[in-house]
Every structure is written in structure tokens, then in C-alpha cells.
Amino acid sequence: MKRYFVLAALGALLAGGIYHLGKVHVEAEYLKKETKAVKNAERKRARIAAEPHAGRDDLLELMRRGVL
């Protein structure tokens, strides 16, 4: 009887350990994905900030053409 209890306890510990490892792996993947998204956003923001701003005359011309 003790043997079955010990085997059941070991099985439960094994299942819990596998679950925990899977959970840690998923969290790591999620953090990698979020970090990548933040880096991409920073690159896009830097690229937009590096472009020159449109002047008044340029904006008026775009408005007259119906682009804005």
C-alpha cells in the first residue's frame, strides 16, 4: 500500500514539474515576443522622428490635391 502511495506522489511531483517547466517556457517566449515588439516600436519611432517635418506650403499643397 505504501508503495502505491509513494508512486502516486512521485507521479504527481513529476506532473507538477513538467507543468512548471512548460509554464516557464511559455512565459519566456511571451517576454521575448514583447521585447521584440518594443524594439520594433522604438525603431519605427526613431525613423519617424528622423524624417524632416512637412512645411506649411507642402501641407497646403497636399491639402489642395486632396491627399490630406
Side-chain angles (χ1 to χ4, degrees), residues 8-27:
L10 286 176
L13 284 174
L14 180 63
I18 291 172
Y19 172 78
H20 180 69
L21 286 177
K23 186 177 176 182
V24 168
H25 179 71
V26 168
E27 288 175 356

Side-chain angles (χ1 to χ4, degrees), residues 20-36:
H20 180 69
L21 286 177
K23 186 177 176 182
V24 168
H25 179 71
V26 168
E27 288 175 356
E29 289 295 321
Y30 177 76
L31 288 176
K32 284 180 189 177
K33 194 178 291 187
E34 286 298 314
T35 304
K36 187 176 180 180

